[in-house]
Tab-separated table of all heavy atoms in Angstrom:
chain	number	residue	atom	x	y	z
A	48	MET	N	26.327	18.612	9.846
A	48	MET	CA	26.180	18.185	8.449
A	48	MET	C	25.593	16.780	8.397
A	48	MET	O	25.975	15.915	9.176
A	48	MET	CB	27.549	18.172	7.752
A	48	MET	CG	27.492	17.668	6.308
A	48	MET	SD	29.119	17.268	5.644
A	48	MET	CE	29.812	18.892	5.387
A	49	LYS	N	24.664	16.584	7.459
A	49	LYS	CA	24.161	15.236	7.193
A	49	LYS	C	24.413	14.902	5.727
A	49	LYS	O	24.330	15.774	4.857
A	49	LYS	CB	22.675	15.138	7.509
A	49	LYS	CG	22.393	15.187	8.998
A	49	LYS	CD	20.966	14.834	9.306
A	49	LYS	CE	20.763	14.839	10.818
A	49	LYS	NZ	19.375	14.569	11.208
A	50	VAL	N	24.713	13.638	5.488
A	50	VAL	CA	25.059	13.174	4.152
A	50	VAL	C	23.983	12.212	3.664
A	50	VAL	O	23.579	11.311	4.400
A	50	VAL	CB	26.411	12.418	4.179
A	50	VAL	CG1	26.751	11.877	2.805
A	50	VAL	CG2	27.512	13.321	4.700
A	51	SER	N	23.504	12.415	2.447
A	51	SER	CA	22.629	11.407	1.841
A	51	SER	C	23.127	11.095	0.439
A	51	SER	O	23.749	11.941	-0.226
A	51	SER	CB	21.179	11.877	1.822
A	51	SER	OG	21.035	13.043	1.066
A	52	VAL	N	22.874	9.864	0.023
A	52	VAL	CA	23.307	9.428	-1.306
A	52	VAL	C	22.105	8.867	-2.059
A	52	VAL	O	21.168	8.348	-1.452
A	52	VAL	CB	24.427	8.367	-1.218
A	52	VAL	CG1	25.661	8.945	-0.574
A	52	VAL	CG2	23.969	7.127	-0.482
A	53	ASP	N	22.168	8.987	-3.359
A	53	ASP	CA	21.081	8.502	-4.210
A	53	ASP	C	21.633	7.403	-5.112
A	53	ASP	O	22.295	7.681	-6.121
A	53	ASP	CB	20.515	9.659	-5.028
A	53	ASP	CG	19.311	9.230	-5.855
A	53	ASP	OD1	19.044	8.016	-5.960
A	53	ASP	OD2	18.639	10.125	-6.404
A	54	GLN	N	21.351	6.156	-4.731
A	54	GLN	CA	21.879	5.034	-5.514
A	54	GLN	C	21.271	4.965	-6.911
A	54	GLN	O	21.855	4.353	-7.802
A	54	GLN	CB	21.624	3.711	-4.784
A	54	GLN	CG	22.459	3.537	-3.542
A	54	GLN	CD	22.457	2.099	-3.050
A	54	GLN	OE1	21.622	1.299	-3.422
A	54	GLN	NE2	23.429	1.772	-2.209
A	55	THR	N	20.133	5.605	-7.102
A	55	THR	CA	19.484	5.511	-8.417
A	55	THR	C	20.234	6.315	-9.481
A	55	THR	O	20.061	6.061	-10.667
A	55	THR	CB	18.016	5.981	-8.367
A	55	THR	OG1	17.983	7.381	-8.062
A	55	THR	CG2	17.223	5.189	-7.348
A	56	VAL	N	21.044	7.273	-9.050
A	56	VAL	CA	21.810	8.047	-10.040
A	56	VAL	C	23.306	7.720	-10.018
A	56	VAL	O	24.030	8.055	-10.953
A	56	VAL	CB	21.604	9.571	-9.879
A	56	VAL	CG1	20.158	9.938	-10.102
A	56	VAL	CG2	22.089	10.061	-8.542
A	57	CYS	N	23.778	7.051	-8.952
A	57	CYS	CA	25.194	6.688	-8.857
A	57	CYS	C	25.602	5.812	-10.045
A	57	CYS	O	24.904	4.867	-10.406
A	57	CYS	CB	25.445	5.943	-7.547
A	57	CYS	SG	27.112	5.283	-7.389
A	58	ARG	N	26.750	6.145	-10.631
A	58	ARG	CA	27.260	5.373	-11.772
A	58	ARG	C	28.597	4.724	-11.456
A	58	ARG	O	29.385	4.423	-12.337
A	58	ARG	CB	27.378	6.272	-13.009
A	58	ARG	CG	26.049	6.678	-13.608
A	58	ARG	CD	25.279	5.475	-14.148
A	58	ARG	NE	23.944	5.828	-14.616
A	58	ARG	CZ	22.848	5.811	-13.869
A	58	ARG	NH1	22.933	5.441	-12.588
A	58	ARG	NH2	21.680	6.136	-14.355
A	59	GLU	N	28.874	4.559	-10.168
A	59	GLU	CA	30.023	3.769	-9.698
A	59	GLU	C	31.374	4.302	-10.158
A	59	GLU	O	32.300	3.525	-10.372
A	59	GLU	CB	29.880	2.299	-10.129
A	59	GLU	CG	28.574	1.682	-9.689
A	59	GLU	CD	27.812	1.044	-10.819
A	59	GLU	OE1	28.371	0.174	-11.493
A	59	GLU	OE2	26.652	1.427	-11.045
A	60	TYR	N	31.493	5.605	-10.309
A	60	TYR	CA	32.792	6.174	-10.712
A	60	TYR	C	33.826	6.075	-9.589
A	60	TYR	O	35.020	6.080	-9.841
A	60	TYR	CB	32.642	7.630	-11.114
A	60	TYR	CG	31.813	7.850	-12.347
A	60	TYR	CD1	30.589	8.499	-12.265
A	60	TYR	CD2	32.261	7.427	-13.592
A	60	TYR	CE1	29.820	8.719	-13.390
A	60	TYR	CE2	31.503	7.636	-14.720
A	60	TYR	CZ	30.275	8.281	-14.616
A	60	TYR	OH	29.505	8.487	-15.720
A	61	ALA	N	33.323	6.072	-8.341
A	61	ALA	CA	34.176	5.937	-7.143
A	61	ALA	C	35.022	7.159	-6.831
A	61	ALA	O	35.892	7.093	-5.967
A	61	ALA	CB	35.041	4.680	-7.205
A	62	ASN	N	34.779	8.258	-7.512
A	62	ASN	CA	35.508	9.492	-7.180
A	62	ASN	C	35.322	9.843	-5.698
A	62	ASN	O	36.253	10.285	-5.034
A	62	ASN	CB	34.990	10.682	-7.988
A	62	ASN	CG	34.975	10.434	-9.460
A	62	ASN	OD1	34.922	9.296	-9.900
A	62	ASN	ND2	35.005	11.493	-10.241
A	63	CYS	N	34.111	9.660	-5.219
A	63	CYS	CA	33.798	10.032	-3.836
A	63	CYS	C	34.623	9.214	-2.850
A	63	CYS	O	35.026	9.717	-1.807
A	63	CYS	CB	32.314	9.841	-3.563
A	63	CYS	SG	31.716	8.168	-3.900
A	64	ILE	N	34.879	7.971	-3.194
A	64	ILE	CA	35.616	7.090	-2.294
A	64	ILE	C	37.089	7.471	-2.261
A	64	ILE	O	37.747	7.386	-1.237
A	64	ILE	CB	35.411	5.626	-2.720
A	64	ILE	CG1	33.926	5.291	-2.559
A	64	ILE	CG2	36.276	4.676	-1.922
A	64	ILE	CD1	33.466	4.119	-3.370
A	65	VAL	N	37.595	7.931	-3.382
A	65	VAL	CA	38.975	8.424	-3.415
A	65	VAL	C	39.096	9.644	-2.505
A	65	VAL	O	40.068	9.783	-1.759
A	65	VAL	CB	39.383	8.776	-4.861
A	65	VAL	CG1	40.745	9.465	-4.886
A	65	VAL	CG2	39.411	7.518	-5.712
A	66	GLU	N	38.096	10.519	-2.540
A	66	GLU	CA	38.161	11.751	-1.747
A	66	GLU	C	37.903	11.509	-0.261
A	66	GLU	O	38.519	12.163	0.584
A	66	GLU	CB	37.131	12.766	-2.275
A	66	GLU	CG	37.385	13.238	-3.696
A	66	GLU	CD	38.595	14.157	-3.818
A	66	GLU	OE1	39.123	14.602	-2.781
A	66	GLU	OE2	39.008	14.435	-4.949
A	67	ALA	N	36.969	10.622	0.056
A	67	ALA	CA	36.588	10.421	1.458
A	67	ALA	C	36.349	8.930	1.720
A	67	ALA	O	35.213	8.487	1.903
A	67	ALA	CB	35.331	11.235	1.775
A	68	PRO	N	37.427	8.151	1.798
A	68	PRO	CA	37.285	6.697	1.942
A	68	PRO	C	36.682	6.260	3.272
A	68	PRO	O	36.177	5.146	3.376
A	68	PRO	CB	38.718	6.181	1.781
A	68	PRO	CG	39.577	7.346	2.102
A	68	PRO	CD	38.828	8.560	1.672
A	69	ASP	N	36.727	7.126	4.273
A	69	ASP	CA	36.131	6.762	5.558
A	69	ASP	C	34.623	6.993	5.578
A	69	ASP	O	33.933	6.526	6.479
A	69	ASP	CB	36.756	7.588	6.689
A	69	ASP	CG	38.233	7.270	6.868
A	69	ASP	OD1	38.649	6.165	6.483
A	69	ASP	OD2	38.960	8.144	7.382
A	70	VAL	N	34.147	7.724	4.603
A	70	VAL	CA	32.728	8.115	4.615
A	70	VAL	C	31.917	7.378	3.554
A	70	VAL	O	30.751	7.068	3.775
A	70	VAL	CB	32.594	9.647	4.419
A	70	VAL	CG1	31.126	10.074	4.432
A	70	VAL	CG2	33.389	10.393	5.490
A	71	PHE	N	32.543	7.099	2.411
A	71	PHE	CA	31.814	6.466	1.309
A	71	PHE	C	32.450	5.136	0.925
A	71	PHE	O	33.661	4.950	1.029
A	71	PHE	CB	31.791	7.390	0.074
A	71	PHE	CG	31.149	8.708	0.346
A	71	PHE	CD1	31.915	9.847	0.556
A	71	PHE	CD2	29.765	8.820	0.421
A	71	PHE	CE1	31.318	11.067	0.837
A	71	PHE	CE2	29.156	10.036	0.694
A	71	PHE	CZ	29.940	11.157	0.906
A	72	ASP	N	31.600	4.240	0.452
A	72	ASP	CA	32.069	2.961	-0.068
A	72	ASP	C	31.073	2.512	-1.124
A	72	ASP	O	30.016	3.144	-1.300
A	72	ASP	CB	32.169	1.932	1.063
A	72	ASP	CG	33.124	0.784	0.727
A	72	ASP	OD1	33.619	0.719	-0.425
A	72	ASP	OD2	33.367	-0.051	1.615
A	73	LEU	N	31.401	1.430	-1.799
A	73	LEU	CA	30.448	0.869	-2.757
A	73	LEU	C	29.762	-0.344	-2.136
A	73	LEU	O	30.417	-1.176	-1.499
A	73	LEU	CB	31.145	0.468	-4.070
A	73	LEU	CG	31.712	1.621	-4.894
A	73	LEU	CD1	32.328	1.078	-6.183
A	73	LEU	CD2	30.660	2.675	-5.214
A	74	ASP	N	28.470	-0.421	-2.325
A	74	ASP	CA	27.659	-1.521	-1.812
A	74	ASP	C	28.093	-2.817	-2.486
A	74	ASP	O	28.164	-2.885	-3.716
A	74	ASP	CB	26.189	-1.221	-2.127
A	74	ASP	CG	25.238	-2.152	-1.409
A	74	ASP	OD1	25.569	-3.339	-1.251
A	74	ASP	OD2	24.151	-1.683	-1.023
A	75	GLU	N	28.421	-3.826	-1.678
A	75	GLU	CA	28.866	-5.100	-2.265
A	75	GLU	C	27.764	-5.772	-3.074
A	75	GLU	O	28.031	-6.566	-3.975
A	75	GLU	CB	29.343	-6.047	-1.150
A	75	GLU	CG	30.649	-5.597	-0.519
A	75	GLU	CD	31.156	-6.585	0.517
A	75	GLU	OE1	30.569	-7.665	0.647
A	75	GLU	OE2	32.142	-6.252	1.194
A	76	GLU	N	26.524	-5.451	-2.762
A	76	GLU	CA	25.395	-6.090	-3.445
A	76	GLU	C	25.208	-5.560	-4.860
A	76	GLU	O	25.062	-6.307	-5.811
A	76	GLU	CB	24.107	-5.834	-2.653
A	76	GLU	CG	24.104	-6.419	-1.262
A	76	GLU	CD	23.781	-7.911	-1.251
A	76	GLU	OE1	22.859	-8.296	-1.984
A	76	GLU	OE2	24.456	-8.655	-0.523
A	77	ASN	N	25.187	-4.238	-4.988
A	77	ASN	CA	24.820	-3.655	-6.290
A	77	ASN	C	25.877	-2.719	-6.867
A	77	ASN	O	25.684	-2.155	-7.953
A	77	ASN	CB	23.467	-2.934	-6.190
A	77	ASN	CG	23.496	-1.798	-5.193
A	77	ASN	OD1	24.560	-1.371	-4.757
A	77	ASN	ND2	22.334	-1.282	-4.843
A	78	GLY	N	26.993	-2.525	-6.157
A	78	GLY	CA	28.067	-1.691	-6.677
A	78	GLY	C	27.828	-0.201	-6.594
A	78	GLY	O	28.637	0.583	-7.083
A	79	LYS	N	26.733	0.192	-5.950
A	79	LYS	CA	26.399	1.622	-5.841
A	79	LYS	C	26.937	2.202	-4.542
A	79	LYS	O	27.219	1.485	-3.581
A	79	LYS	CB	24.880	1.821	-5.894
A	79	LYS	CG	24.205	1.219	-7.114
A	79	LYS	CD	24.581	1.925	-8.387
A	79	LYS	CE	23.779	1.360	-9.558
A	79	LYS	NZ	24.135	2.013	-10.824
A	80	VAL	N	27.000	3.521	-4.524
A	80	VAL	CA	27.564	4.205	-3.368
A	80	VAL	C	26.713	3.985	-2.113
A	80	VAL	O	25.482	3.912	-2.174
A	80	VAL	CB	27.706	5.719	-3.661
A	80	VAL	CG1	26.342	6.391	-3.770
A	80	VAL	CG2	28.563	6.397	-2.603
A	81	ILE	N	27.398	3.865	-0.976
A	81	ILE	CA	26.740	3.913	0.318
A	81	ILE	C	27.507	4.892	1.198
A	81	ILE	O	28.712	5.091	1.015
A	81	ILE	CB	26.685	2.532	1.017
A	81	ILE	CG1	28.081	1.895	1.105
A	81	ILE	CG2	25.696	1.600	0.332
A	81	ILE	CD1	28.116	0.623	1.931
A	82	ALA	N	26.791	5.508	2.118
A	82	ALA	CA	27.428	6.384	3.095
A	82	ALA	C	27.676	5.569	4.351
A	82	ALA	O	26.738	5.076	4.976
A	82	ALA	CB	26.543	7.586	3.392
A	83	LEU	N	28.941	5.383	4.693
A	83	LEU	CA	29.289	4.653	5.908
A	83	LEU	C	28.972	5.496	7.130
A	83	LEU	O	28.695	4.971	8.208
A	83	LEU	CB	30.782	4.305	5.901
A	83	LEU	CG	31.261	3.456	4.711
A	83	LEU	CD1	32.782	3.366	4.712
A	83	LEU	CD2	30.645	2.073	4.766
A	84	ILE	N	29.038	6.797	6.954
A	84	ILE	CA	28.770	7.754	8.031
A	84	ILE	C	27.794	8.783	7.470
A	84	ILE	O	28.060	9.376	6.421
A	84	ILE	CB	30.070	8.460	8.476
A	84	ILE	CG1	31.072	7.443	9.009
A	84	ILE	CG2	29.779	9.532	9.515
A	84	ILE	CD1	32.470	8.023	9.245
A	85	THR	N	26.671	8.982	8.130
A	85	THR	CA	25.705	9.976	7.631
A	85	THR	C	25.817	11.308	8.368
A	85	THR	O	25.301	12.314	7.894
A	85	THR	CB	24.262	9.454	7.748
A	85	THR	OG1	24.027	9.055	9.108
A	85	THR	CG2	24.047	8.260	6.818
A	86	GLU	N	26.487	11.293	9.520
A	86	GLU	CA	26.712	12.547	10.239
A	86	GLU	C	28.210	12.635	10.538
A	86	GLU	O	28.660	12.294	11.631
A	86	GLU	CB	25.891	12.602	11.523
A	86	GLU	CG	24.399	12.641	11.243
A	86	GLU	CD	23.571	12.870	12.505
A	86	GLU	OE1	24.058	13.550	13.432
A	86	GLU	OE2	22.451	12.357	12.556
A	87	PRO	N	29.006	13.091	9.553
A	87	PRO	CA	30.456	13.106	9.736
A	87	PRO	C	30.903	14.084	10.811
A	87	PRO	O	30.212	15.051	11.133
A	87	PRO	CB	30.986	13.524	8.357
A	87	PRO	CG	29.845	14.159	7.665
A	87	PRO	CD	28.603	13.574	8.234
A	88	ASP	N	32.074	13.791	11.334
A	88	ASP	CA	32.716	14.684	12.285
A	88	ASP	C	33.144	15.958	11.561
A	88	ASP	O	33.499	15.906	10.383
A	88	ASP	CB	33.945	13.959	12.849
A	88	ASP	CG	34.603	14.741	13.940
A	88	ASP	OD1	34.142	14.629	15.097
A	88	ASP	OD2	35.570	15.476	13.656
A	89	PRO	N	33.110	17.087	12.234
A	89	PRO	CA	33.553	18.329	11.584
A	89	PRO	C	34.936	18.230	10.948
A	89	PRO	O	35.196	18.887	9.929
A	89	PRO	CB	33.534	19.351	12.726
A	89	PRO	CG	32.438	18.849	13.627
A	89	PRO	CD	32.538	17.342	13.570
A	90	SER	N	35.792	17.384	11.489
A	90	SER	CA	37.126	17.234	10.899
A	90	SER	C	37.065	16.578	9.522
A	90	SER	O	38.043	16.625	8.772
A	90	SER	CB	38.014	16.391	11.832
A	90	SER	OG	37.517	15.065	11.927
A	91	GLN	N	35.930	15.975	9.187
A	91	GLN	CA	35.765	15.304	7.886
A	91	GLN	C	35.028	16.172	6.867
A	91	GLN	O	34.872	15.752	5.714
A	91	GLN	CB	34.982	13.999	8.079
A	91	GLN	CG	35.695	12.976	8.944
A	91	GLN	CD	34.824	11.772	9.256
A	91	GLN	OE1	33.749	11.911	9.813
A	91	GLN	NE2	35.281	10.588	8.878
A	92	TYR	N	34.582	17.346	7.281
A	92	TYR	CA	33.735	18.152	6.387
A	92	TYR	C	34.419	18.458	5.055
A	92	TYR	O	33.789	18.385	4.000
A	92	TYR	CB	33.312	19.458	7.064
A	92	TYR	CG	32.231	19.306	8.114
A	92	TYR	CD1	31.715	18.054	8.459
A	92	TYR	CD2	31.732	20.416	8.786
A	92	TYR	CE1	30.740	17.922	9.436
A	92	TYR	CE2	30.746	20.295	9.753
A	92	TYR	CZ	30.248	19.046	10.074
A	92	TYR	OH	29.273	18.919	11.026
A	93	ASP	N	35.696	18.819	5.121
A	93	ASP	CA	36.377	19.200	3.873
A	93	ASP	C	36.411	18.038	2.882
A	93	ASP	O	36.148	18.216	1.687
A	93	ASP	CB	37.803	19.673	4.160
A	93	ASP	CG	37.836	21.079	4.742
A	93	ASP	OD1	36.769	21.738	4.748
A	93	ASP	OD2	38.921	21.499	5.174
A	94	GLU	N	36.715	16.839	3.389
A	94	GLU	CA	36.799	15.698	2.460
A	94	GLU	C	35.411	15.299	1.965
A	94	GLU	O	35.255	14.871	0.820
A	94	GLU	CB	37.542	14.511	3.081
A	94	GLU	CG	36.891	13.874	4.268
A	94	GLU	CD	37.717	12.702	4.820
A	94	GLU	OE1	37.623	11.606	4.260
A	94	GLU	OE2	38.437	12.902	5.814
A	95	VAL	N	34.405	15.464	2.801
A	95	VAL	CA	33.041	15.137	2.374
A	95	VAL	C	32.581	16.127	1.297
A	95	VAL	O	31.970	15.732	0.299
A	95	VAL	CB	32.083	15.140	3.578
A	95	VAL	CG1	30.644	15.021	3.117
A	95	VAL	CG2	32.433	13.998	4.520
A	96	ARG	N	32.897	17.394	1.499
A	96	ARG	CA	32.547	18.394	0.465
A	96	ARG	C	33.297	18.103	-0.832
A	96	ARG	O	32.730	18.228	-1.925
A	96	ARG	CB	32.873	19.806	0.960
A	96	ARG	CG	31.959	20.268	2.077
A	96	ARG	CD	32.218	21.731	2.424
A	96	ARG	NE	31.429	22.153	3.572
A	96	ARG	CZ	31.950	22.491	4.762
A	96	ARG	NH1	33.255	22.481	4.939
A	96	ARG	NH2	31.153	22.836	5.760
A	97	ALA	N	34.550	17.713	-0.728
A	97	ALA	CA	35.326	17.376	-1.926
A	97	ALA	C	34.724	16.168	-2.626
A	97	ALA	O	34.655	16.109	-3.865
A	97	ALA	CB	36.788	17.114	-1.544
A	98	ALA	N	34.264	15.192	-1.849
A	98	ALA	CA	33.647	13.997	-2.433
A	98	ALA	C	32.367	14.362	-3.174
A	98	ALA	O	32.132	13.905	-4.299
A	98	ALA	CB	33.363	12.978	-1.334
A	99	ALA	N	31.529	15.171	-2.553
A	99	ALA	CA	30.277	15.564	-3.202
A	99	ALA	C	30.561	16.329	-4.488
A	99	ALA	O	29.911	16.107	-5.523
A	99	ALA	CB	29.440	16.409	-2.246
A	100	ALA	N	31.560	17.206	-4.435
A	100	ALA	CA	31.897	18.000	-5.624
A	100	ALA	C	32.489	17.132	-6.732
A	100	ALA	O	32.370	17.462	-7.921
A	100	ALA	CB	32.877	19.116	-5.242
A	101	SER	N	33.101	16.019	-6.352
A	101	SER	CA	33.776	15.172	-7.338
A	101	SER	C	32.819	14.248	-8.080
A	101	SER	O	33.194	13.644	-9.081
A	101	SER	CB	34.849	14.320	-6.653
A	101	SER	OG	34.261	13.247	-5.937
A	102	CYS	N	31.602	14.113	-7.573
A	102	CYS	CA	30.669	13.169	-8.196
A	102	CYS	C	30.089	13.751	-9.483
A	102	CYS	O	29.395	14.763	-9.448
A	102	CYS	CB	29.548	12.817	-7.226
A	102	CYS	SG	28.376	11.659	-7.976
A	103	PRO	N	30.336	13.102	-10.616
A	103	PRO	CA	29.896	13.665	-11.903
A	103	PRO	C	28.381	13.694	-12.067
A	103	PRO	O	27.868	14.459	-12.879
A	103	PRO	CB	30.520	12.727	-12.946
A	103	PRO	CG	31.515	11.904	-12.210
A	103	PRO	CD	31.098	11.868	-10.783
A	104	VAL	N	27.688	12.853	-11.302
A	104	VAL	CA	26.222	12.783	-11.462
A	104	VAL	C	25.472	13.353	-10.258
A	104	VAL	O	24.260	13.216	-10.142
A	104	VAL	CB	25.773	11.329	-11.739
A	104	VAL	CG1	26.296	10.857	-13.083
A	104	VAL	CG2	26.220	10.392	-10.622
A	105	LYS	N	26.217	13.974	-9.365
A	105	LYS	CA	25.634	14.636	-8.184
A	105	LYS	C	24.738	13.688	-7.374
A	105	LYS	O	23.602	14.031	-7.023
A	105	LYS	CB	24.867	15.903	-8.593
A	105	LYS	CG	25.735	16.900	-9.365
A	105	LYS	CD	25.199	18.290	-9.332
A	105	LYS	CE	26.021	19.278	-10.155
A	105	LYS	NZ	27.468	19.135	-10.011
A	106	ALA	N	25.282	12.530	-7.076
A	106	ALA	CA	24.539	11.541	-6.296
A	106	ALA	C	24.640	11.786	-4.796
A	106	ALA	O	23.943	11.140	-4.023
A	106	ALA	CB	25.058	10.138	-6.625
A	107	ILE	N	25.509	12.712	-4.402
A	107	ILE	CA	25.734	12.979	-2.977
A	107	ILE	C	25.151	14.336	-2.631
A	107	ILE	O	25.478	15.347	-3.271
A	107	ILE	CB	27.239	12.955	-2.648
A	107	ILE	CG1	27.817	11.579	-2.958
A	107	ILE	CG2	27.483	13.346	-1.193
A	107	ILE	CD1	29.335	11.529	-2.929
A	108	THR	N	24.286	14.353	-1.625
A	108	THR	CA	23.689	15.608	-1.164
A	108	THR	C	24.130	15.867	0.265
A	108	THR	O	24.077	14.963	1.108
A	108	THR	CB	22.153	15.536	-1.224
A	108	THR	OG1	21.761	15.229	-2.561
A	108	THR	CG2	21.526	16.860	-0.807
A	109	LEU	N	24.547	17.093	0.524
A	109	LEU	CA	24.956	17.499	1.871
A	109	LEU	C	23.914	18.448	2.425
A	109	LEU	O	23.493	19.383	1.753
A	109	LEU	CB	26.328	18.182	1.825
A	109	LEU	CG	27.449	17.389	1.147
A	109	LEU	CD1	28.749	18.171	1.203
A	109	LEU	CD2	27.607	16.014	1.782
A	110	HIS	N	23.516	18.198	3.650
A	110	HIS	CA	22.564	19.059	4.349
A	110	HIS	C	23.359	19.780	5.430
A	110	HIS	O	23.737	19.173	6.423
A	110	HIS	CB	21.437	18.224	4.952
A	110	HIS	CG	20.802	17.287	3.952
A	110	HIS	ND1	19.765	17.668	3.132
A	110	HIS	CD2	21.088	16.002	3.634
A	110	HIS	CE1	19.428	16.632	2.357
A	110	HIS	NE2	20.220	15.622	2.639
A	111	GLU	N	23.628	21.059	5.208
A	111	GLU	CA	24.477	21.802	6.150
A	111	GLU	C	23.678	22.889	6.845
A	111	GLU	O	22.696	23.363	6.348
A	111	GLU	CB	25.652	22.420	5.396
A	111	GLU	CG	26.476	21.371	4.663
A	111	GLU	CD	27.876	21.854	4.329
A	111	GLU	OE1	28.614	22.225	5.233
A	111	GLU	OE2	28.221	21.850	3.147
B	1063	LIG	S1	31.377	9.631	-7.325
B	1063	LIG	FE1	29.136	9.663	-7.574
B	1063	LIG	S2	28.734	8.180	-9.166
B	1063	LIG	FE2	30.774	7.781	-8.375
B	1063	LIG	S3	30.534	6.215	-6.776
B	1063	LIG	FE3	30.491	8.223	-5.825
B	1063	LIG	S4	28.319	8.742	-5.711
B	1063	LIG	FE4	28.527	7.118	-7.219
C-alpha cells in the first residue's frame, strides 16, 4: 500500500490523525495534512483505511 495526501483539498479536520496518529500529522508550516509514512506496514492498513474513510474531503488516496 502507498499513501498520498492532497494538501490543496485538506481542511484540517484532523479526523485522519485521530484514526492513524502514527501515519498522519499536520504540517507545522501550513496546518495541512502530511503523511509521516507513505508505505505503511501491513499491521497499519486497517487504521490507514479508517483514516482515509474518515476524511470529509477525501484528501487521502490509497494505492493498493
Ligand atoms: S481528515 Fe482530511 S481534511 Fe482532515 S486533516 Fe486529515 S486529510 Fe485533512
Side-chain angles (χ1 to χ4, degrees):
M48 177 194 286
K49 289 191 177 177
V50 178
S51 61
V52 297
D53 184 349
Q54 290 195 343
T55 66
V56 298
C57 174
R58 289 296 175 269
E59 305 127 56
Y60 294 113
N62 307 24
C63 56
I64 296 159
V65 172
E66 296 289 349
D69 295 336
V70 180
F71 301 102
D72 202 354
L73 293 182
D74 191 324
E75 290 184 7
E76 298 280 317
N77 61 14
K79 305 292 185 181
V80 69
I81 53 173
L83 301 171
I84 299 170
T85 54
E86 294 187 31
D88 186 84
S90 65
Q91 296 173 302
Y92 285 2
D93 284 351
E94 64 180 279
V95 171
R96 291 187 185 113
S101 76
C102 180
V104 294
K105 303 201 183 317
I107 299 169
T108 303
L109 306 181
H110 309 273
E111 303 200 58

